[in-house]
Amino acid sequence: MPWEISSEKSVYLQLIDVIKQKIMSGEYQPGQRLPSVRELAADAAVNPNTMQRALTELEREGLLYTQRTSGRFVSEDAGMIDGLRMTGAEQKAREFYLEMVQNGLSADEIRRLLEKAIAEEAKQ
């Protein structure tokens, strides 16, 4: 997932979201060492202090941990990561559903659209 930072919300909150997404998608594996703060900041084109703030928050949440001489690592708690993945998926599903209802679709129409998308994706 690329670092796409916009002016819509606080930069450090967007960094948290991107790092969480990288953890949920498996780009950052449980127990994997993360690049340094400076490397991550350079990749995201943000100030290292802002990246540090995001990483500190992720540590507070338990998704990352620090080993004093070795750096920061992704939590090895698979249950926590799976919970994060499911919570994120439920939120996205709810947002999608509400948007489709606002567009005038019924629950059955939305279900058919999803089933069609799943079937088409399975063919690929």
Side-chain angles (χ1 to χ4, degrees):
M1 173 177 207
W3 299 94
E4 294 180 12
I5 308 300
S6 70
S7 60
E8 295 175 12
K9 107 180 174 183
S10 174
V11 172
Y12 100 98
L13 292 174
Q14 291 178 70
L15 295 174
I16 289 170
D17 289 345
V18 171
I19 294 168
K20 282 183 178 180
Q21 183 62 43
K22 288 175 183 265
I23 292 170
M24 289 186 297
S25 72
E27 185 175 337
Y28 292 159
Q29 293 288 314
Q32 178 182 343
R33 183 181 180 280
L34 293 181
S36 72
V37 171
R38 291 197 182 280
E39 289 174 298
L40 288 169
D43 286 346
V46 299
N47 184 297
N49 292 331
T50 306
M51 182 61 72
Q52 176 66 39
R53 182 177 179 198
L55 295 172
T56 298
E57 177 61 24
L58 290 167
E59 278 189 57
R60 191 189 65 71
E61 292 179 18
L63 284 170
L64 301 178
Y65 64 94
T66 298
Q67 288 185 344
R68 223 176 235 281
T69 59
S70 302
R72 276 198 178 85
F73 294 82
V74 176
S75 171
E76 295 177 22
D77 184 344
M80 177 189 297
I81 294 170
D82 286 342
L84 176 66
R85 185 178 295 120
M86 288 307 297
T87 300
E90 288 169 359
Q91 181 181 354
K92 293 285 186 188
R94 198 173 306 110
E95 290 169 3
F96 172 77
Y97 176 77
L98 292 174
E99 184 177 342
M100 293 301 102
V101 167
Q102 288 176 349
N103 287 339
L105 285 105
S106 70
D108 285 337
E109 290 170 318
I110 296 167
R111 191 175 297 108
R112 282 194 299 273
L113 283 172
L114 287 171
E115 289 169 354
K116 179 180 176 186
I118 292 167
E120 288 175 0
E121 192 63 30
K123 290 178 186 177
Q124 296 180 4

